[in-house]
Amino acid sequence: MLPRAEQKLQTRQALLDAARHLMESGRGFGSISLREVSKSAGIVPTGFYRHFPDMDQLGLALVNEVGETFRRTIRLVRQNEFELGSMGGITDASVRIFLDVVTANRPQFLFLAREQYGGSQPVRQAIATLRRGISSDLATDLSRMPRWQHLDNTALAVMADLVVKTVFATLPELIDEPAEGAAEPLSAQDKITQQLRFIFVGAKHWEL
């Protein structure tokens, strides 16, 4: 038999997994009930409260989880940027790294893609806070790169904000296949790569 603390962690994780599983059918987090999550996780509804006081707190735990995954991905991209030389190569390789992580953690990023505009205000606010934190971290990273030394802190912050908002806005297209008959001229991967190139090329030639 598992120790009580480990069993509690497993049940908590089962609740997170259950919520994401229910969302994979196309539902938003706000439409999922506590009873449904509990049933899917294999516990009684009263057992839910041993782990979360309400559904909003479960949603915040989901934001924290995908936030950790996102930050680990940013660290991989950051390492890639310092190792590669050409800007084009950096963008292509960084997008591939990001897409590999999105594919490997699809349920987490599906939640993030949908709930940044979803019905739960605490979850929306937590995602907005996560986005600002990632933008701030990216601006700090950019300030250490020789190619961006001509930009002041304000310009770097704007650039980082554009990059992160572009990634967040494109997440739904990266996760879901286009509807039948709605073929796009560019794949989601090609689109986000070109969007980032526009940002980087513009920043390279920016004059304060």
Side-chain angles (χ1 to χ4, degrees):
M1 187 173 179
L2 290 173
R4 184 175 180 84
E6 186 176 347
Q7 188 175 26
K8 186 174 181 179
L9 285 174
Q10 286 193 358
T11 303
R12 184 181 188 277
Q13 187 60 50
L15 289 167
L16 298 174
D17 294 340
R20 284 193 297 265
H21 175 72
L22 290 167
M23 290 183 65
E24 287 190 271
S25 65
R27 297 172 61 185
F29 179 76
S31 72
I32 298 171
S33 72
L34 183 154
R35 285 184 174 274
E36 287 177 298
V37 173
S38 301
K39 181 179 179 180
S40 182
I43 65 172
V44 296
T46 53
F48 179 96
Y49 295 107
R50 298 191 188 104
H51 305 276
F52 302 102
D54 53 37
M55 284 293 290
D56 280 338
Q57 290 301 311
L58 172 62
L60 296 182
L62 289 169
V63 174
N64 288 337
E65 191 174 59
V66 71
E68 285 300 312
T69 302
F70 210 123
R71 290 183 186 280
R72 286 197 302 270
T73 308
I74 294 296
R75 287 195 289 270
L76 288 173
V77 170
R78 181 188 304 145
Q79 180 181 358
N80 171 70
E81 287 178 341
F82 281 112
E83 288 176 353
L84 291 177
S86 73
M87 193 180 304
I90 288 172
T91 305
D92 290 349
S94 297
V95 169
R96 285 196 299 272
I97 290 170
F98 181 72
L99 291 182
D100 286 345
V101 175
V102 169
T103 300
N105 300 275
R106 184 180 183 278
Q108 287 188 24
F109 284 93
L110 177 66
F111 167 80
L112 183 62
R114 289 183 180 160
E115 297 311 308
Q116 58 184 314
Y117 309 114
S120 169
Q121 184 180 18
V123 170
R124 284 201 316 273
Q125 291 174 336
I127 291 175
T129 299
L130 170 65
R131 189 176 60 234
R132 288 193 296 270
I134 292 171
S135 295
S136 178
D137 291 346
L138 178 57
T140 299
D141 288 340
L142 294 172
S143 71
R144 297 170 179 158
M145 297 180 182
R147 67 172 58 89
W148 307 122
Q149 293 304 303
H150 64 292
L151 300 176
D152 63 15
N153 289 338
T154 299
L156 288 169
V158 170
M159 178 184 171
D161 185 61
L162 276 172
V163 169
V164 174
K165 283 183 177 175
T166 296
V167 172
F168 270 67
T170 314
L171 271 176
E173 296 177 59
L174 295 173
I175 291 172
D176 293 323
E177 295 292 331
E180 188 175 347
E184 297 285 343
L186 290 174
S187 69
Q189 178 176 345
D190 289 340
K191 182 186 292 186
I192 192 172
T193 302
Q194 290 201 18
Q195 287 172 334
L196 294 176
R197 282 178 180 164
F198 274 123
I199 295 170
F200 293 142
V201 170
K204 183 180 180 181
H205 296 285
W206 184 261
E207 294 183 6
L208 298 174

